[in-house]
Amino acid sequence: MEMAGTELRLGLPGTDSSSSSASKITNKRPSSDMINSNDDEPAPKAQVVGWPPVRSYRKNVLQASYVKVSMDGAAYLRKINLNVYKSYPQLLKALDNMFKCSIGVYSEREGYNGCDYVATYEDKDGDWMLAGDVPWDMFINSCRRLRIMKGSEAKGLACL
Amino acid sequence: MASASLPEQVLKHLFSFLTSDKDRNCVSLVCKLWYEVERRCRRSVFIGNCYAVTPDIMIRRFPQLTSLTLKGKPHFADFNLVPDGWGAYVDPWIAAMSQSYPFCLEEIRLKRMVVTDESLELISTSFHNFKVLILLSCEGFTTDGLAAIAANCRNLRELDLGESEVEDLSSDWLSHFPDGCTSLVSLNISCLGSEINFSDLERLITCSPNLKTLRLSQAVPLEKLPDLLCRAPQLVEFGTGAYSSEVQSDVFSNLEEAFSGCKKLEGLSGFWDVTPAYLPAVYPVCSRLTSLNLSYATIQNPDLNKLISRCHNLQRLWVLDYIEDTGLQALAASCKDLQELRVFPSDPFGPEPNVSLTEQGLVAVSDGCPKLQTVLYFCRQMTNAALVTIARNRPNMICFRLCILEPRSPDYLTLEPLDAGFGAIVEQCKELRRLSLSGLLTDRIFEYIGAHAKKLEMLSVAFVGDSDLGLHHVLSGCESLRKLEIRDCPFGDKALLANAAKLETMRSLWMSSCSVSFGACELLSQKMPRLNIEVIDENGPPDTQSESCPVEKLYIYRTVAGPRFDMPGFVRIMNQDAAH
């Protein structure tokens, strides 16, 4: 826990993600209109692992099935059903097939893995996120649309 | 005194009337002769924890088995609390049985186990009369393994993939079923994600005249259903695929006609992605339905109501909380034979309620449905008064699982803990076998449970209790307790060590994010050599634990197999290297 002070962490000011070994605070930048947001807005909930006790295949089914996928440079958007996939690699394979190119997801270990394009997504709050940071279940819960962008444009985001 | 005058043949004949495992187990304890006779004629074995015994021990005792049921990972694995790689491999069992039971073994039922393609291939080639393969919540295999089963098991009757995680490598595994008639009675492929080859599916269904249960996967579109149903009008249980399509009157009338043709249909499931306009196509079968699983169907009232209120003979309903209190009131009025109700949350992570489903819905069903005995209910608010009413209405309750979404929620009217409410449940429902607690609860509830829940076999507990006293009440009072699973409760060493002997009378105990110290685990393992005490800690190698450090996860189970050796680095079995 000595590393805690030097870790870069995205979270609401004042939150402490070591409050309990069982909770994970979702990593979000505070949105720019936080100052004006009304007090009825509940604070983003800490997601506790395995709670509520709903099995993953059930959780996956409940989200909006189809999301739009846009690709930089392509004239038309596509739509895919996220529920059909169970992991990032599966999703990327499908996107590769759909757009006939190689799309990567940023991972700590491999960076972009030598791909030309990178998958980003818009979440429930309207923020654009790099795909691959959060567990798959959490991603499916929050992804509203996907954007495939050129790796060169996205490289700036990867320097955490 | 043993009946020494009864010859073995007579004993065998007598035992053949005993079908339950419990009875057979009792009979084998009477005397050595009965033990010997019983073990040689036992055909079916149920092993609730695959690590409680080894394949060799089982085979030595039972030389001729027709059917084996094995369960692997603890229940909380369903909610991602058991890390990947923990264990529950079926391979050693299949390998051993392929040597010893090639001509007799016909049925394998697995739950929460890791199955490989190699095992599936071995099953398909080793057991000459293999008939039944049921894989519930399993993982580790691909469609290649299924292809082997399809191709080689000529007498296959049941193939049920439950809610397993299967890697879809190719859609043509179905084509591996032999040409000509199959003996299939039950096929459940609802968990498969990828495309299906429809002509293979059609051929298979046409060539399976005994098919009674068919559960399709999401990949099968609504337009294909009329054709498939017409090929199998004898179906008793049917699971649709994605139940959505552009609304077209000819598709609708074909579908309605196809359902009308299924005169024996009693159970429906599937219904992913529903287009409400197509629901009336199932109306012709509603009056015969005893089982309806709409737990994936994102349909709301009034469409939902219109469907359910036609199902007067319904005994089992699984549904999303879109049904709301009003729908449950309608259910209580229409379905007087209802025995089991499961209401799942449509938005489990949303901070605010998205539907109007409260404790009132459950109270209404408990009031209107005299046979209600099994409940799983997710909701956002509860009161002691409601629970007391439910308990009074339904003293015949056998399984009561309540999940209030926000941990530690009190009675929302009085702000008190829900001890009195759950206390009424355990006090009134004397046949209660399974209970899941949630909401704000003190040690008091455990006092009630220990005092009253004498038939309770399984208890699930999360974010409740005040102290070790709570755990102590349960362990010392619940005579029939077999499985106890606990997470995020302030239970620690004292209760565990004081009730060490109790643990050998149970199948298993799971405790995660509690306050049990590493030192206590060591002590416990020294006291109880016939328990495996597994310390699961992903945060670092368990060897660096200090004595007083609380363990992250603890899984304790009785076993005659001794410590296992197939565990990953983050699992340590206490006492393994203790010198005796």
Side-chain angles (χ1 to χ4, degrees):
Chain A
M1 289 313 284
E2 307 88 54
M3 296 287 283
T6 56
E7 264 183 73
L8 284 176
R9 191 175 293 138
L10 298 177
L12 289 178
T15 58
D16 169 14
S17 69
S18 63
S19 49
S20 134
S21 59
S23 15
K24 279 188 213 163
I25 309 262
T26 54
N27 290 340
K28 294 297 300 298
R29 289 185 299 285
S31 69
S32 53
D33 54 1
M34 269 283 288
I35 302 149
N36 297 325
S37 70
N38 52 32
D39 290 332
D40 296 331
E41 280 285 337
K45 274 178 89 65
Q47 280 204 10
V48 174
V49 175
W51 190 266
V54 177
R55 299 189 55 195
S56 349
Y57 70 85
R58 236 175 233 297
K59 284 188 248 174
N60 290 346
V61 164
L62 303 171
Q63 315 318 312
S65 325
Y66 282 88
V67 297
K68 290 184 189 167
V69 188
S70 62
M71 162 111 165
D72 287 1
Y76 296 97
L77 276 63
R78 303 293 302 271
K79 264 197 159 174
I80 57 162
N81 182 354
L82 284 181
N83 292 333
V84 169
Y85 311 105
K86 298 190 175 101
S87 67
Y88 285 113
Q90 278 188 18
L91 171 65
L92 289 178
K93 195 162 122 194
L95 290 175
D96 283 358
N97 282 339
M98 198 180 257
F99 292 101
K100 306 282 180 276
C101 64
S102 88
I103 302 170
V105 140
Y106 180 76
S107 77
E108 290 290 345
R109 262 181 305 140
E110 296 167 39
Y112 285 111
N113 213 13
C115 297
D116 302 319
Y117 291 87
V118 150
T120 64
Y121 68 100
E122 183 182 15
D123 73 359
K124 269 186 198 163
D125 299 333
D127 296 319
W128 282 92
M129 319 284 290
L130 209 53
D133 284 339
V134 300
W136 178 252
D137 277 0
M138 225 184 264
F139 166 71
I140 292 221
N141 268 335
S142 47
C143 174
R144 287 292 161 261
R145 55 188 297 170
L146 281 161
R147 176 182 163 205
I148 316 293
M149 60 197 292
K150 292 212 177 63
S152 49
E153 276 186 47
K155 278 209 165 63
L157 294 172
C159 303
L160 288 176
Chain B
M1 189 181 126
S3 319
S5 54
L6 283 177
E8 180 169 327
Q9 284 308 315
V10 176
L11 282 174
K12 258 176 97 163
H13 183 67
L14 288 174
F15 295 167
S16 68
F17 293 103
L18 300 173
T19 45
S20 95
D21 286 330
K22 283 206 186 106
D23 290 341
R24 299 217 92 171
N25 290 346
C26 285
V27 137
S28 65
L29 291 173
V30 166
C31 64
K32 281 204 175 128
L33 174 65
W34 283 38
Y35 175 87
E36 285 299 317
V37 172
E38 195 284 320
R39 75 178 187 86
R40 282 198 290 267
C41 66
R42 172 98 63 127
R43 292 291 164 261
S44 165
V45 159
F46 169 87
I47 295 174
N49 173 8
C50 64
Y51 289 119
V53 74
T54 65
D56 289 337
I57 293 175
M58 177 188 75
I59 290 169
R60 252 183 289 133
R61 178 171 174 188
F62 303 113
Q64 267 202 311
L65 285 188
T66 308
S67 143
L68 173 66
T69 304
L70 264 180
K71 290 185 170 185
K73 299 187 204 173
H75 174 237
F76 273 177
D78 282 357
F79 316 124
N80 300 330
L81 288 179
V82 177
D84 280 340
W86 173 81
Y89 306 106
V90 81
D91 285 17
W93 293 86
I94 308 299
M97 293 194 298
S98 66
Q99 299 296 308
S100 304
Y101 299 147
F103 292 103
C104 53
L105 194 73
E106 295 176 358
E107 305 179 9
I108 293 176
R109 293 174 173 80
L110 305 176
K111 188 166 186 181
R112 288 192 206 96
M113 295 205 69
V114 177
V115 181
T116 60
D117 285 346
E118 286 73 32
S119 273
L120 291 177
E121 276 155 49
L122 195 54
I123 289 172
S124 74
T125 52
S126 307
F127 305 113
H128 296 100
N129 199 21
F130 197 69
K131 294 196 177 120
V132 172
L133 182 63
I134 301 193
L135 304 173
L136 304 181
S137 305
C138 294
E139 55 170 347
F141 59 102
T142 78
T143 42
D144 284 354
L146 298 179
I149 296 286
N152 302 330
C153 301
R154 299 275 140 168
N155 293 325
L156 194 66
R157 287 229 213 101
E158 291 182 45
L159 179 60
D160 183 344
L161 303 180
E163 286 132 11
S164 296
E165 271 180 44
V166 185
E167 202 184 329
D168 286 306
L169 291 181
S170 75
S171 59
D172 76 344
W173 71 274
L174 276 176
S175 68
H176 289 255
F177 277 102
D179 289 330
C181 272
T182 79
S183 36
L184 268 183
V185 171
S186 168
L187 179 65
N188 177 2
I189 54 171
S190 55
C191 64
L192 296 182
S194 69
E195 298 306 307
I196 293 264
N197 184 313
F198 293 119
S199 54
D200 288 338
L201 182 61
E202 283 157 17
R203 182 177 59 88
L204 181 62
I205 293 173
T206 311
C207 298
S208 304
N210 298 321
L211 200 61
K212 299 262 183 319
T213 296
L214 175 65
R215 301 202 200 277
L216 303 170
S217 68
Q218 284 184 63
V220 180
L222 185 139
E223 296 84 8
K224 290 279 180 194
L225 293 186
D227 179 63
L228 294 174
L229 284 173
C230 289
R231 289 167 196 266
Q234 76 284 2
L235 284 178
V236 175
E237 300 194 335
F238 180 62
T240 74
Y243 202 72
S244 64
S245 179
E246 265 179 40
V247 184
Q248 290 169 302
S249 56
D250 55 339
V251 174
F252 179 90
S253 49
N254 285 345
L255 189 55
E256 193 187 29
E257 203 180 313
F259 273 116
S260 305
C262 297
K263 306 286 185 203
K264 302 210 177 140
L265 207 53
E266 287 173 14
L268 275 181
S269 61
F271 295 106
W272 286 280
D273 213 11
V274 176
T275 302
Y278 279 106
L279 283 176
V282 309
Y283 287 176
V285 303
C286 284
S287 58
R288 259 178 272 115
L289 287 183
T290 57
S291 167
L292 185 55
N293 182 350
L294 295 172
S295 61
Y296 300 107
T298 52
I299 37 176
Q300 328 249 357
N301 294 324
D303 298 308
L304 192 48
N305 254 352
K306 280 195 227 162
L307 177 60
I308 293 176
S309 56
R310 283 177 151 78
C311 304
H312 298 285
N313 288 311
L314 210 55
Q315 292 170 17
R316 181 169 66 181
L317 176 66
W318 293 21
V319 74
L320 285 171
D321 57 10
Y322 290 128
I323 192 170
E324 297 192 322
D325 288 342
T326 48
L328 290 174
Q329 279 149 15
L331 176 70
S334 322
C335 304
K336 296 303 186 184
D337 279 347
L338 196 71
Q339 293 172 22
E340 175 178 336
L341 174 67
R342 294 195 195 196
V343 179
F344 294 96
S346 54
D347 189 17
F349 302 110
E352 299 293 309
N354 61 325
V355 292
S356 176
L357 180 109
T358 70
E359 77 281 8
Q360 295 306 317
L362 187 55
V363 171
V365 180
S366 77
D367 188 35
C369 302
K371 300 188 188 165
L372 187 70
Q373 59 183 32
T374 300
V375 167
L376 170 62
Y377 199 75
F378 285 81
C379 62
R380 289 174 189 266
Q381 65 186 46
M382 188 49 59
T383 64
N384 281 310
L387 285 170
V388 168
T389 306
I390 292 165
R392 247 186 300 125
N393 286 341
R394 295 276 63 80
N396 52 325
M397 192 75 71
I398 289 182
C399 168
F400 189 73
R401 294 156 69 190
L402 180 68
C403 178
I404 305 168
L405 290 175
E406 180 64 35
R408 305 192 185 91
S409 300
D411 176 319
Y412 78 96
L413 290 178
T414 65
L415 297 183
E416 283 172 357
L418 292 169
D419 297 334
F422 276 107
I425 297 277
V426 295
E427 215 178 326
Q428 301 283 324
C429 308
K430 308 215 191 296
E431 300 299 313
L432 197 69
R433 294 207 289 263
R434 186 170 177 183
L435 178 65
S436 297
L437 300 176
S438 60
L440 182 65
L441 292 163
T442 71
D443 282 346
R444 249 284 137 89
I445 182 54
F446 296 108
E447 212 185 303
Y448 296 146
I449 290 175
H452 297 285
K454 295 307 180 185
K455 298 220 175 146
L456 192 67
E457 295 178 5
M458 182 170 178
L459 179 64
S460 308
V461 162
F463 301 101
V464 297
D466 300 323
S467 74
D468 265 27
L469 209 49
L471 180 56
H472 174 69
H473 284 308
V474 171
L475 289 177
S476 56
C478 296
E479 293 159 7
S480 311
L481 196 65
R482 290 188 299 114
K483 290 182 279 183
L484 179 56
E485 47 185 27
I486 302 173
R487 64 162 296 176
D488 293 272
C489 297
F491 299 149
D493 301 345
K494 279 190 287 202
L496 215 50
L497 290 171
N499 292 282
K502 172 73 173 174
L503 298 176
E504 236 186 61
T505 69
M506 294 164 53
R507 182 189 296 173
S508 66
L509 167 65
W510 169 279
M511 291 178 75
S512 56
S513 304
C514 296
S515 319
V516 180
S517 75
F518 193 75
C521 294
E522 281 179 320
L523 262 173
L524 193 59
S525 73
Q526 281 156 26
K527 249 179 136 172
M528 308 292 301
R530 285 193 301 190
L531 294 179
N532 273 356
I533 297 176
E534 296 197 5
V535 171
I536 301 165
D537 206 319
E538 289 176 283
N539 284 332
D543 300 307
T544 61
Q545 304 284 349
S546 75
E547 294 248 321
S548 55
C549 207
V551 302
E552 185 189 306
K553 294 169 184 173
L554 180 61
Y555 185 48
I556 300 176
Y557 53 90
R558 66 180 175 188
T559 178
V560 296
R564 62 183 176 113
F565 294 99
D566 63 354
M567 62 274 188
F570 55 79
V571 175
R572 171 165 172 180
I573 302 196
M574 306 308 300
N575 208 24
Q576 226 179 328
D577 19 55
H580 282 299

mmCIF file of all heavy atoms in Angstrom, chain B residues 146 236 246 318 336 361 411:
data_model
loop_
_atom_site.group_PDB
_atom_site.id
_atom_site.type_symbol
_atom_site.label_atom_id
_atom_site.label_comp_id
_atom_site.label_asym_id
_atom_site.label_seq_id
_atom_site.Cartn_x
_atom_site.Cartn_y
_atom_site.Cartn_z
ATOM 1 N N LEU B 146 -18.016 -31.031 -28.427
ATOM 2 C CA LEU B 146 -19.419 -31.378 -28.684
ATOM 3 C C LEU B 146 -19.551 -32.192 -29.968
ATOM 4 O O LEU B 146 -20.382 -33.100 -30.068
ATOM 5 C CB LEU B 146 -20.274 -30.112 -28.781
ATOM 6 C CG LEU B 146 -20.323 -29.261 -27.520
ATOM 7 C CD1 LEU B 146 -21.172 -28.017 -27.752
ATOM 8 C CD2 LEU B 146 -20.888 -30.066 -26.348
ATOM 9 N N VAL B 236 -42.422 -31.092 -25.377
ATOM 10 C CA VAL B 236 -43.010 -30.790 -24.080
ATOM 11 C C VAL B 236 -42.401 -29.502 -23.523
ATOM 12 O O VAL B 236 -43.061 -28.718 -22.852
ATOM 13 C CB VAL B 236 -42.764 -31.952 -23.092
ATOM 14 C CG1 VAL B 236 -43.266 -31.604 -21.701
ATOM 15 C CG2 VAL B 236 -43.428 -33.231 -23.595
ATOM 16 N N GLU B 246 -39.189 -7.990 -37.672
ATOM 17 C CA GLU B 246 -40.116 -6.969 -38.174
ATOM 18 C C GLU B 246 -41.509 -7.565 -38.153
ATOM 19 O O GLU B 246 -41.690 -8.745 -38.448
ATOM 20 C CB GLU B 246 -39.779 -6.662 -39.634
ATOM 21 C CG GLU B 246 -38.874 -5.465 -39.776
ATOM 22 C CD GLU B 246 -38.555 -5.236 -41.247
ATOM 23 O OE1 GLU B 246 -39.479 -5.391 -42.083
ATOM 24 O OE2 GLU B 246 -37.389 -4.963 -41.535
ATOM 25 N N TRP B 318 -40.306 -17.532 -14.044
ATOM 26 C CA TRP B 318 -39.085 -16.737 -13.886
ATOM 27 C C TRP B 318 -39.301 -15.502 -14.747
ATOM 28 O O TRP B 318 -39.639 -15.616 -15.929
ATOM 29 C CB TRP B 318 -37.851 -17.496 -14.381
ATOM 30 C CG TRP B 318 -37.462 -18.698 -13.582
ATOM 31 C CD1 TRP B 318 -38.245 -19.428 -12.742
ATOM 32 C CD2 TRP B 318 -36.192 -19.329 -13.574
ATOM 33 N NE1 TRP B 318 -37.533 -20.465 -12.211
ATOM 34 C CE2 TRP B 318 -36.263 -20.431 -12.694
ATOM 35 C CE3 TRP B 318 -34.975 -19.066 -14.224
ATOM 36 C CZ2 TRP B 318 -35.176 -21.265 -12.453
ATOM 37 C CZ3 TRP B 318 -33.896 -19.896 -13.979
ATOM 38 C CH2 TRP B 318 -33.993 -20.989 -13.097
ATOM 39 N N LYS B 336 -53.133 -19.858 -9.531
ATOM 40 C CA LYS B 336 -53.307 -20.408 -8.185
ATOM 41 C C LYS B 336 -52.457 -21.639 -7.920
ATOM 42 O O LYS B 336 -52.376 -22.111 -6.791
ATOM 43 C CB LYS B 336 -54.786 -20.730 -7.941
ATOM 44 C CG LYS B 336 -55.689 -19.499 -7.948
ATOM 45 C CD LYS B 336 -55.233 -18.481 -6.920
ATOM 46 C CE LYS B 336 -56.180 -17.310 -6.806
ATOM 47 N NZ LYS B 336 -55.654 -16.286 -5.864
ATOM 48 N N GLY B 361 -45.419 -6.510 -4.073
ATOM 49 C CA GLY B 361 -45.611 -7.553 -5.077
ATOM 50 C C GLY B 361 -45.459 -8.940 -4.469
ATOM 51 O O GLY B 361 -46.282 -9.834 -4.691
ATOM 52 N N ASP B 411 -35.454 -1.679 7.251
ATOM 53 C CA ASP B 411 -36.895 -1.537 7.007
ATOM 54 C C ASP B 411 -37.093 -0.083 6.584
ATOM 55 O O ASP B 411 -36.777 0.831 7.341
ATOM 56 C CB ASP B 411 -37.629 -1.864 8.311
ATOM 57 C CG ASP B 411 -39.137 -1.662 8.221
ATOM 58 O OD1 ASP B 411 -39.586 -0.660 7.615
ATOM 59 O OD2 ASP B 411 -39.867 -2.493 8.783
#
